[in-house]
Amino acid sequence: MVRTLLIDNIGELTTNDETLGSGLGGRLSDAAVLIEGERIAWVGSAAQAPTADERIDAEGRALLPGWVDSHTHMVFAGDRTAEFEARMAGEAYAAGGINVTVNATRAASDAELEANLARLVGEARRDGTTTMETKTGYGLTVADEVRSARVAATQADAVTFLGAHVVPAGVDAAAYLDLVTGEMLDAVAPLVSAVDVFCESGAFDEAQTRRILETATAKGLATRVHGNQLGHGPGTQLAVEHGSLSVDHLGFLTDDDIAALAGSWGEDARGTVATVLPACDLSTRMPLAPARKLIDAGAVVAIASNCNPGTSYTSSMGFCVATAVLQMGLTVQEAVRAATLGGAIALGMHEDGWIDPRGSLQARVGVVSPGALADLQLLNAPSVTHLAYRPGMRLTEAVWKAGTRVA
Ligand SMILES: N=CN[C@@H](CCC(=O)O)C(=O)O
Ligand SMILES: [Zn+2]
């Protein structure tokens, strides 16, 4: 028999399913959620809650979907404290810093990479993250990229190949492009669900990005782009033209870029998610992505942590949500939705039937709705508004991933 758990007496429930509750976020008050095994079985008013094998009294607190962090770089070794210090003293961030982490990652053992990833995933779980994408990109040889993808697949929910992070030091750019679109991609393809490219000066230009995206698509892989991070460039337009799942960073957008992102969503075709990375913008002292303008224009926005040792050494989605509200001008409901359902759409996990890196078929995430995976977080607060009203406080009190309590 599959065990059932009732979370009862929920003061405010954010479902992200507007057929279940009111307003953006589909909110219910005085609610209850029934979990059966890995999935949500029932959502409704506490007064009508069914019985269950086990019951948790939420005592009027807020329950919402676990965070869906759709952009991280968590397979690495070492840190870049000195680079951060120099940046805070006025130096600009440059893509070349990536090579410092590449050297440390290549020198680390598999066990060290796995332990570091486990540490980071543990931190993220305690802060409410239940779904996490992570990228390769600090190996940059065939063997090191395959190893990074293998390590990532042990713990992440989606693994993205980022061989096109930078051209590694001492390697000819044209030869590296051949490798990334040839032997390296072939070796990594069975281990990943998407290919990413850092389209930026100091990394990959328009023609190189186009070639990487086209090759990935020809191999049946989804694509993503790191675009418009350090200055205005072609990344956003390329991602939209190409039908990439998301384009991430977006600190330097024109009105045309914003219109292209908004216009990519049609009646019957999915578009490109605009993923903003507030912690990264702060940590690099770059302009905040125009999340308010993107939402007003009709774009689908996700918020992610971009956890990595160079530009954003935090996995705290609560911090990202608070920043999006306090500094990017989003409402709390918009930010929470972007950090849950928005991330799920960016990963193609908002519908049933996605396949995790261990080969299992999974139900949708990012919503609290019957049939969805039971990925939930309970706040030590009566409402999600406290995430921005009480910035910096650790408000996540309990976390369930696929029905199992993980924090
Ligand atoms: N922009 C490219 N990649 C990472 C930074 C990686 C690094 O500096 O180590 C990012 O998303 O910010
Ligand atoms: Zn990134």
PDB file of all heavy atoms in Angstrom, residues 129-143:
ATOM      1  N   THR A 129      15.016  24.268  -2.233  1.00  0.00           N
ATOM      2  CA  THR A 129      15.111  23.885  -3.650  1.00  0.00           C
ATOM      3  C   THR A 129      14.869  22.383  -3.789  1.00  0.00           C
ATOM      4  O   THR A 129      15.557  21.574  -3.171  1.00  0.00           O
ATOM      5  CB  THR A 129      16.494  24.253  -4.214  1.00  0.00           C
ATOM      6  OG1 THR A 129      16.641  25.668  -4.125  1.00  0.00           O
ATOM      7  CG2 THR A 129      16.640  23.815  -5.669  1.00  0.00           C
ATOM      8  N   THR A 130      13.897  22.024  -4.618  1.00  0.00           N
ATOM      9  CA  THR A 130      13.576  20.602  -4.811  1.00  0.00           C
ATOM     10  C   THR A 130      13.932  20.115  -6.212  1.00  0.00           C
ATOM     11  O   THR A 130      14.001  18.915  -6.438  1.00  0.00           O
ATOM     12  CB  THR A 130      12.080  20.353  -4.543  1.00  0.00           C
ATOM     13  OG1 THR A 130      11.324  21.326  -5.263  1.00  0.00           O
ATOM     14  CG2 THR A 130      11.759  20.445  -3.059  1.00  0.00           C
ATOM     15  N   THR A 131      14.112  21.028  -7.155  1.00  0.00           N
ATOM     16  CA  THR A 131      14.508  20.633  -8.507  1.00  0.00           C
ATOM     17  C   THR A 131      15.693  21.496  -8.915  1.00  0.00           C
ATOM     18  O   THR A 131      15.669  22.717  -8.758  1.00  0.00           O
ATOM     19  CB  THR A 131      13.358  20.856  -9.518  1.00  0.00           C
ATOM     20  OG1 THR A 131      12.221  20.128  -9.087  1.00  0.00           O
ATOM     21  CG2 THR A 131      13.750  20.398 -10.920  1.00  0.00           C
ATOM     22  N   MET A 132      16.713  20.846  -9.440  1.00  0.00           N
ATOM     23  CA  MET A 132      17.921  21.586  -9.757  1.00  0.00           C
ATOM     24  C   MET A 132      18.547  21.123 -11.070  1.00  0.00           C
ATOM     25  O   MET A 132      18.785  19.935 -11.262  1.00  0.00           O
ATOM     26  CB  MET A 132      18.910  21.342  -8.630  1.00  0.00           C
ATOM     27  CG  MET A 132      20.096  22.230  -8.679  1.00  0.00           C
ATOM     28  SD  MET A 132      21.145  21.756  -7.362  1.00  0.00           S
ATOM     29  CE  MET A 132      20.052  22.000  -5.989  1.00  0.00           C
ATOM     30  N   GLU A 133      18.771  22.072 -11.945  1.00  0.00           N
ATOM     31  CA  GLU A 133      19.582  21.824 -13.136  1.00  0.00           C
ATOM     32  C   GLU A 133      21.026  22.115 -12.757  1.00  0.00           C
ATOM     33  O   GLU A 133      21.287  23.007 -11.931  1.00  0.00           O
ATOM     34  CB  GLU A 133      19.143  22.777 -14.253  1.00  0.00           C
ATOM     35  CG  GLU A 133      19.905  22.634 -15.553  1.00  0.00           C
ATOM     36  CD  GLU A 133      21.007  23.675 -15.769  1.00  0.00           C
ATOM     37  OE1 GLU A 133      21.459  24.326 -14.777  1.00  0.00           O
ATOM     38  OE2 GLU A 133      21.421  23.848 -16.915  1.00  0.00           O
ATOM     39  N   THR A 134      21.982  21.384 -13.325  1.00  0.00           N
ATOM     40  CA  THR A 134      23.364  21.829 -13.212  1.00  0.00           C
ATOM     41  C   THR A 134      24.106  21.542 -14.509  1.00  0.00           C
ATOM     42  O   THR A 134      23.696  20.698 -15.293  1.00  0.00           O
ATOM     43  CB  THR A 134      24.060  21.263 -11.949  1.00  0.00           C
ATOM     44  OG1 THR A 134      25.172  22.112 -11.652  1.00  0.00           O
ATOM     45  CG2 THR A 134      24.539  19.841 -12.108  1.00  0.00           C
ATOM     46  N   LYS A 135      25.192  22.306 -14.697  1.00  0.00           N
ATOM     47  CA  LYS A 135      25.904  22.270 -15.978  1.00  0.00           C
ATOM     48  C   LYS A 135      27.309  21.713 -15.817  1.00  0.00           C
ATOM     49  O   LYS A 135      27.916  21.861 -14.763  1.00  0.00           O
ATOM     50  CB  LYS A 135      26.036  23.687 -16.540  1.00  0.00           C
ATOM     51  CG  LYS A 135      24.711  24.400 -16.721  1.00  0.00           C
ATOM     52  CD  LYS A 135      24.923  25.842 -17.151  1.00  0.00           C
ATOM     53  CE  LYS A 135      23.673  26.681 -16.901  1.00  0.00           C
ATOM     54  NZ  LYS A 135      22.492  26.261 -17.620  1.00  0.00           N
ATOM     55  N   THR A 136      27.826  21.139 -16.875  1.00  0.00           N
ATOM     56  CA  THR A 136      29.254  20.874 -16.974  1.00  0.00           C
ATOM     57  C   THR A 136      29.887  22.233 -17.324  1.00  0.00           C
ATOM     58  O   THR A 136      29.247  23.261 -17.243  1.00  0.00           O
ATOM     59  CB  THR A 136      29.562  19.853 -18.080  1.00  0.00           C
ATOM     60  OG1 THR A 136      29.349  20.481 -19.361  1.00  0.00           O
ATOM     61  CG2 THR A 136      28.668  18.614 -17.970  1.00  0.00           C
ATOM     62  N   GLY A 137      31.154  22.245 -17.712  1.00  0.00           N
ATOM     63  CA  GLY A 137      31.714  23.513 -18.193  1.00  0.00           C
ATOM     64  C   GLY A 137      32.974  23.936 -17.471  1.00  0.00           C
ATOM     65  O   GLY A 137      33.565  24.972 -17.814  1.00  0.00           O
ATOM     66  N   TYR A 138      33.387  23.144 -16.456  1.00  0.00           N
ATOM     67  CA  TYR A 138      34.672  23.427 -15.807  1.00  0.00           C
ATOM     68  C   TYR A 138      35.649  22.276 -16.048  1.00  0.00           C
ATOM     69  O   TYR A 138      36.625  22.127 -15.323  1.00  0.00           O
ATOM     70  CB  TYR A 138      34.478  23.649 -14.305  1.00  0.00           C
ATOM     71  CG  TYR A 138      33.742  24.914 -13.941  1.00  0.00           C
ATOM     72  CD1 TYR A 138      32.570  24.873 -13.204  1.00  0.00           C
ATOM     73  CD2 TYR A 138      34.228  26.171 -14.333  1.00  0.00           C
ATOM     74  CE1 TYR A 138      31.901  26.033 -12.844  1.00  0.00           C
ATOM     75  CE2 TYR A 138      33.562  27.334 -13.984  1.00  0.00           C
ATOM     76  CZ  TYR A 138      32.402  27.262 -13.238  1.00  0.00           C
ATOM     77  OH  TYR A 138      31.750  28.417 -12.889  1.00  0.00           O
ATOM     78  N   GLY A 139      35.370  21.463 -17.071  1.00  0.00           N
ATOM     79  CA  GLY A 139      36.279  20.379 -17.451  1.00  0.00           C
ATOM     80  C   GLY A 139      37.001  20.752 -18.745  1.00  0.00           C
ATOM     81  O   GLY A 139      38.224  20.879 -18.799  1.00  0.00           O
ATOM     82  N   LEU A 140      36.195  20.937 -19.789  1.00  0.00           N
ATOM     83  CA  LEU A 140      36.659  21.454 -21.085  1.00  0.00           C
ATOM     84  C   LEU A 140      37.706  20.585 -21.794  1.00  0.00           C
ATOM     85  O   LEU A 140      38.416  21.070 -22.675  1.00  0.00           O
ATOM     86  CB  LEU A 140      37.129  22.915 -20.973  1.00  0.00           C
ATOM     87  CG  LEU A 140      36.155  23.897 -20.290  1.00  0.00           C
ATOM     88  CD1 LEU A 140      36.663  25.335 -20.422  1.00  0.00           C
ATOM     89  CD2 LEU A 140      34.737  23.797 -20.850  1.00  0.00           C
ATOM     90  N   THR A 141      37.807  19.308 -21.388  1.00  0.00           N
ATOM     91  CA  THR A 141      38.419  18.277 -22.241  1.00  0.00           C
ATOM     92  C   THR A 141      37.340  17.212 -22.371  1.00  0.00           C
ATOM     93  O   THR A 141      36.389  17.195 -21.566  1.00  0.00           O
ATOM     94  CB  THR A 141      39.663  17.624 -21.601  1.00  0.00           C
ATOM     95  OG1 THR A 141      39.243  16.937 -20.408  1.00  0.00           O
ATOM     96  CG2 THR A 141      40.756  18.635 -21.277  1.00  0.00           C
ATOM     97  N   VAL A 142      37.474  16.316 -23.325  1.00  0.00           N
ATOM     98  CA  VAL A 142      36.441  15.289 -23.489  1.00  0.00           C
ATOM     99  C   VAL A 142      36.292  14.513 -22.180  1.00  0.00           C
ATOM    100  O   VAL A 142      35.183  14.348 -21.655  1.00  0.00           O
ATOM    101  CB  VAL A 142      36.781  14.345 -24.673  1.00  0.00           C
ATOM    102  CG1 VAL A 142      35.770  13.208 -24.748  1.00  0.00           C
ATOM    103  CG2 VAL A 142      36.801  15.132 -25.987  1.00  0.00           C
ATOM    104  N   ALA A 143      37.407  14.048 -21.634  1.00  0.00           N
ATOM    105  CA  ALA A 143      37.325  13.217 -20.424  1.00  0.00           C
ATOM    106  C   ALA A 143      36.758  14.005 -19.248  1.00  0.00           C
ATOM    107  O   ALA A 143      35.921  13.489 -18.492  1.00  0.00           O
ATOM    108  CB  ALA A 143      38.707  12.676 -20.074  1.00  0.00           C
TER     109      ALA A 143
END
